[in-house]
Amino acid sequence: MSEAMKRLTIVTGCLLALAFAKAGSYHEFELYNVRPETAEQLSVLLKWRNGQEIEVDFWDAPKVGRSARLMVTREDHKRVEEFLEQHDIEYDLVAEDVQELLNREQRRNVEHGRRLRRDSNSRATVNFEHFWTLDEIYEYLDELAVAYNGLVRVSEIGRTHEDRPIKAITISTRGAVDQTRPIVFMDGGIHAREWAGVMSVMYMIHEFVEHSDQYAEQLSNTDYVIVPVANPDGYVYTHEQNRLWRKNRSPGNVLCYGVDLNRNFPFQWDRTTSECTNNFAGHAASSENETKALIGLMDQYKAAIRMYLAVHTYGEMILWPWGYDFLHAPNEDDLQRLGERARDALVAAGGPEYEVGNSADILYTASGATDDYAYSLGVPYSYTLELTGGGSQGFDLPAAELARVTSQTFELLKVFGQHAGTLSVTS
């Protein structure tokens, strides 16, 4: 990138962050649905992700033949529409005031919470019909560690920039994970605003721990190492300050905060954007506390990790390496077959039909991502899961749909764990 382009990127990359900071809300933002029908149209849209023309915030993963939501400042309204029309990209204006959309989403979820009455016949001992705060998540993990101390261990693997703990939970019928059985390593919430992904991970933990007798065969040959919230500072910030925040909360420069942790891992890391963009990769590879914590945990268990799952929203995709370039993993056939099995299990449970394939082919190239890093360590099955969700009524799923989606997603996650249990662990 030329110095002139870098300066342009820094200026344009600040626009969304500065517009929000100035207003303290998203009243001056608009939301569009766009639908690229060709690879060329998709390429044009993806340039916006790097702030090289008009900076936008994609709420969904853009792909050919599928609608994606993107947010822009009202100031850019005319430029955006002219640009979309110039490239013949189909679009609709969904909301002229994003803040009001978010306010309605919050009111709807609060009202749903008020109507909730615990079903005395329910198998759930906790409520999966609202989005949990970080305190609720950590309290639940600690309760599990006490109540199921023969199955669960909870540990602090690092501290964030704002000095919050980064917690991991292990699930093993042997108590401690001794690396004699294949491990499924999972993380959620690396992008702060993706609450439904975090809740899907928590639902799986709940099922495997509190109803472990129903999954005895799977848990007898597979162990789990899970970081439910890989970005605690960002997650808290989305609950308390800015619902649409994506990065962590470390200072980038005098104007902007945050690093996209899913661009900060050392394998094929590349600084491609400025500090104020949503996908800023950091000033150096592995610069962030959260990144270091995940790397350290992977390193601790890498001898036995046979399955890596990064849980994200939204896009309805199961993606395998490589993602940094248009190169396919050597065991692409195995990765594709297993992904399709997981997709079919989700469909059988009433869920949507996910697209399965290579990250770069289906989505876009991205350097420094967790799935590529795990695969580079020798983990034979590494996936990014872009779960279902979103819609025109808010950024996230309505809370009323959360229980259904998390239970359906669990069927998909079980397939990956079951396959991991068939793999050998060599010394």
Side-chain angles (χ1 to χ4, degrees), residues 204 218 309 311 316-318 338-339 341-347 349 352 354 356 383 385-388 405-418:
M204 188 196 77
Q218 181 163 348
L309 302 174
V311 182
E316 298 181 356
M317 289 176 279
I318 299 172
L338 181 59
R341 279 175 48 200
R343 174 202 62 198
D344 293 346
L346 177 63
V347 171
Y354 283 22
V356 183
Y383 295 93
L385 310 177
E386 293 281 356
L387 304 184
T388 190
V405 170
T406 54
S407 63
Q408 290 174 346
T409 302
F410 180 54
E411 298 304 313
L412 176 150
L413 297 175
K414 280 196 298 183
V415 171
F416 291 114
Q418 288 163 354

Side-chain angles (χ1 to χ4, degrees), residues 38-58:
T38 68
E40 182 180 359
Q41 290 177 337
L42 178 62
S43 178
V44 166
L45 286 177
L46 291 179
K47 289 181 180 179
W48 286 352
R49 295 180 71 93
N50 296 330
Q52 292 181 16
E53 298 197 22
I54 303 170
E55 195 196 2
V56 303
D57 180 8
F58 280 96

Side-chain angles (χ1 to χ4, degrees), residues 149-292:
N149 59 8
L151 182 64
V152 168
R153 301 284 189 274
V154 173
S155 63
E156 180 180 311
I157 62 170
R159 307 287 293 193
T160 66
H161 174 75
E162 296 179 348
D163 201 34
R164 290 186 177 88
I166 306 165
K167 290 193 175 186
I169 178 173
T170 63
I171 303 172
S172 174
T173 56
R174 293 178 176 172
V177 174
D178 60 11
Q179 303 194 58
T180 61
R181 302 193 298 202
I183 292 172
V184 177
F185 191 109
M186 294 179 62
D187 60 70
I190 201 167
H191 288 147
R193 64 193 186 182
E194 297 175 3
W195 294 358
V198 172
M199 293 306 298
S200 292
V201 173
M202 293 305 299
Y203 184 85
M204 188 196 77
I205 292 171
H206 161 75
E207 285 293 308
F208 279 160
V209 175
E210 299 207 44
H211 305 291
S212 59
D213 58 316
Q214 299 188 25
Y215 312 105
E217 181 178 357
Q218 181 163 348
L219 294 176
S220 70
N221 57 25
T222 310
D223 293 337
Y224 282 80
V225 177
I226 307 166
V227 182
V229 185
N231 180 4
D233 287 350
Y235 190 73
V236 170
Y237 193 66
T238 61
H239 278 267
E240 296 181 353
Q241 298 289 333
N242 180 348
R243 177 65 188 87
L244 300 180
W245 190 257
R246 171 184 166 99
K247 302 182 287 183
N248 73 353
R249 292 296 298 161
S250 64
N253 58 25
V254 295
L255 292 174
C256 296
Y257 279 74
V259 167
D260 182 345
L261 298 172
N262 200 38
R263 301 292 183 273
N264 190 237
F265 282 73
F267 182 76
Q268 297 292 330
W269 177 86
D270 185 22
R271 179 180 175 177
T272 56
T273 60
S274 73
E275 291 87 344
C276 296
T277 55
N278 258 343
N279 57 342
F280 174 54
H283 293 289
S286 311
S287 60
E288 304 307 295
N289 292 354
E290 299 88 346
T291 309
K292 293 171 185 174

Side-chain angles (χ1 to χ4, degrees), residues 14 24 45 67 69-70 96 104 154 176 264 303 306 310 379 401:
C14 289
L45 286 177
S67 294
R69 299 168 299 168
L70 64 86
E96 295 182 350
R104 288 200 303 269
V154 173
N264 190 237
R306 292 296 174 267
V379 178
E401 297 180 20

